[in-house]
Amino acid sequence: MDESVMIMDSSSIGEAKARGNVYSLLSRVFMREVDKQFLDILKKRESIDAFRDHGFTFFEDLLSRREGDLIDELAVEFASLFLISPGRLLSPYESVQAGKEGQLGGEASSKTLFFYKKAGFTIHERISLLPDHFAIELEFMGHLCERGDAANGAPASNSRELQARFIKLHLANWYRPFLNRVEAAAGHPFYREFSIFTKGFLDSEIGYLESAKGE
Amino acid sequence: MNIKFSRRDILKMGAVGATAAMTPGLLKAMELQEAGKGADLRTAAERTQVVPYTCLQCNIEDGGLAYIEDGRVVKLEGNPKHPATRGKLCGKGAAGINGLYDPDRILYPMRRVGKRGEGKWKRVSWDEAYKELASRMAEVLDRAKEGKGSPNEIALHIGRNRWFGFDNRFMNALGSDTRLNHTSICESSKKIGMQPTWGPDIETPDFANTKYMLIFGANIYEASYFHNPYVQRVVEGRVGNHAKLVYFDPRMSNTAGKADEWYPIFPGTDGAVALAMCNVIMKEGLHNKEFIDKWTNYPSDKLAKYLEQFTPEWAEKISNVPANDIKRIAVEFALAAPRCTTYTYRGPAKHTNGSYSEKCTMMLNVVVGNIEQKGGYCLPRGFGYKHPQPEPPAPKEKSELAHPHEYPLAEHKVSHHVAYMIKEGRQKVSVYMRHYFNGNYSMPDSNTWTDLYMDEELIPFHVSMDTFMGEATALSDLILPETTYLERFDIENMPSSIETPWVGIRQPVIKPLGEVKSYRDIVLELVTKHLDSDGARGIKKYFEYGTTENYIKFMAESVPGVKEAGGWEYLKKNGVWSPKPVDSEPDYNLHKKDGFGTHDKKINIYVEEWAKYGFNPLPHYEPIPAHENMKEDDLVLITFKWNIHVQSRTANQKYLADIIHNNPMWINAKLAEKKGIKTGDLVRVTSKIGYLVTKAFVTEGINPKVVAISNSFGHWEYGRLATLKLKEKPEWAESGDTDFEQVFWKDTGMHPNYIIPVSTDPIGGSEGWYDTVVTVEKAQPGDKYKDYKVDKDAAVKAYQETLSYSYVGPNFRRRAPGKGEAKAGAKKGH
């Protein structure tokens, strides 16, 4: 059996937490520019080891460059990919990438919000992103995973069903073409490799949640 | 590239994520609520709201209703309570949703980090953006205080200005007179033709009640001023009264197609035709002697004598409109009086003789005395507003850029000269703020503006308040992202309905996207929190009115009757207020109450101020210098506007781009045959400043001495659909973007402004968009579509040449011996 679809074992509670953490990490990558705080996390030994295991190289730049310069360079890259990309379709919104409108604020934005609310979540007033932003969809999955952790007291299977539904109804519609485009457009290995990483992770999540059905 | 993850990998990576997830203060977008509490389980229909607003896709200001589902706009429709537009939106209006939700919008403040124009940006906070702008402004103001500079070094260049004095408040408070605009590339010579003659800068024809419409260069069925409200009334007049429509336009627009008679008049000769008609009317005794003698400053017998020189035969030679038709139409028009009216827009006005031409067409109404009569040519109906107090005084020092000394009568400025004037060193600019104005796309000789914006010595700091990465914004240093018209408070009124004036508002129909702010909020926060937070500069006191909503509310409720109707809350609920309901009967004879808005309350057939500067004070036809010595092969290039696009801002809007997305050059079939040109062929169009290569569209529907290229296209910035750069990179286009896959076209058109030289009306200051003399040939070997080449020296020479026709110039004195500066004795400069 492919490891990516193996059935959860007794460590599943810890795994739910781990999965949630990965969603949180990826959400942070796509939500806004890398800052000092996030850079410090990425530069920790366990982070470097984990990235190195997958053949990623971006951390070498993280370790060797002056922090200020690197943060500036990544900020320019972030802006060019996700904030100002006229002429290139890299807008990190489901409505744009997969909605029939091809515009911001499409049906996906209502539907994701409705999903969040039904699951008991709301978006902070201070957040200026629409509900179907890639980072918010990832963060929501992270919250659902955490809820799946027995420590939160909710039945894990309910949560996993919700996770599977959300991925199927939303993320699965667009993450691959979107991340392919980001991968192609990215100048710095940071966003290129995180796009590859995110694709691989979401692929594995789809397999995992499919296999966990009915538990 | 793809990788596969094992669950072990995920556990390992989860440790990294755990550090991220557990780090206090790390950005999170969501919070957990009490389960289910936030869920709104009503149906979509139940969650729908309808919010009224006023459209601003173009400048007609139609009343609209935004349908909101779950906080997002799903549809825009007309507001039936609006007395001018009566429930109808045009195609552009319906597509406003595209502008709001365009993924190419700029949603965050951005700072340039690479070279100017290199395309490298970094997001900054509003605080950082304000601080930078405030410090740049403070440097100028402090230096000015020490006598080492002037507040005029701070320039504000606004295109579509719907701020009703707010820009004056801002700039006057700074002490800067350098408020620049776009009116000289819009319709300013129409305004200047009218204002000294009768007061207002526009007319309001009573189309619904008229029996005869004589329209010069106003494509009212598609695009001209007040298109939506007026075309409704034109149709009522046509159907209800069997009103005749006679139309003059070199190009066969839809208005020409709907007209009873269409004359493809030679550009810039409307005034000659109108004068000949006036002559015929007076000669035939069909004029209204009583009206002329009572309500104008020129006796009817003298006027008749003066007009005798303008014979229909003379006009035919100039305009190609047959003399017999001129005579017949003049008589028909006069016999229909007072239920007859003219209407004009940019056709007559956008020439070096624009002010004269406008006045001549207006005279047709004066001689038949249909002014302020049922079915006639009426004054505009509108309101003025009061503003929150105190208001800053006008700046002490005049700006040469805002008021070039060569154009003392151009009250609406000559802003298309600004790039050359800055290059000449006429006035220093240290901070250049631009808003709703895409200078290096929209101006004639657009390359000169690109050069200016690229020049960091001439424009050391370029701030853009914009919604999109347009051509000019791409060359800025700091971008302050602005709201669209659906996300902000504004006040509006337009004289677009003869039945009743009205006051409309805009209000945020949804929460603004990203971190965008309205222009009014940007200025308010800049001044009160950064530039003058302690009030020491004396600027803040003019901005202590609370919120922008308060400001707009104050203005709206200053209109008599608004408070009584329910005030601000009424306006928010209905979007519009008018003293009379929709479809009321108009009031006429307004002039009988207070006269006309001139110094003597009369219609000034003789404009004294024009005489003062050496211009002909009477209705006059002035040949266009560029057209005087045209060779046999020479043609006149005109531009035009489609019914579903505006000049600069709509090419990226998908509903609209889907319908029209390019602009081949219209050329007459006979001429094309002679030149061996077929539709789709590449042609080289050459003006005195350069050439461009575009495609031909062969048609019977254009004057054989004229070619036409529409505005709106040929963008090199502005977004995906405006540029279709994505089509050049198939590896991006083929990745499942279903929306973009539906883009069936590859051609985004050619920008004509590259080769249109500056050519300015010495009275009204308008750019002569329709004066450009060109030659057209089949493309040369090696020519590619969209090639162009502009000779910068020739462009400057064209500017200098047009200056020579200003009242202080040698060519003006040559054409009008003894006139001009010497006689006027006017002071140079301000």
Side-chain angles (χ1 to χ4, degrees), chain A residues 93-120:
Chain A
Y93 286 98
E94 184 182 339
S95 296
V96 177
Q97 299 289 341
K100 65 177 188 289
E101 307 89 349
Q103 300 239 306
L104 300 170
E107 230 175 279
S109 115
S110 297
K111 286 187 169 170
T112 48
L113 184 63
F114 195 60
F115 209 115
Y116 306 151
K117 285 183 171 179
K118 272 188 85 173

Side-chain angles (χ1 to χ4, degrees), chain A residues 53 89 101 110 120 139 181, chain B residues 12 29 33 72 654 735 737:
Chain A
D53 285 355
L89 192 69
E101 307 89 349
S110 297
E139 184 184 324
R181 274 196 282 271
Chain B
K12 197 167 182 183
Q33 302 182 136
R72 67 188 180 94
K654 56 189 281 187
S735 50
D737 174 6

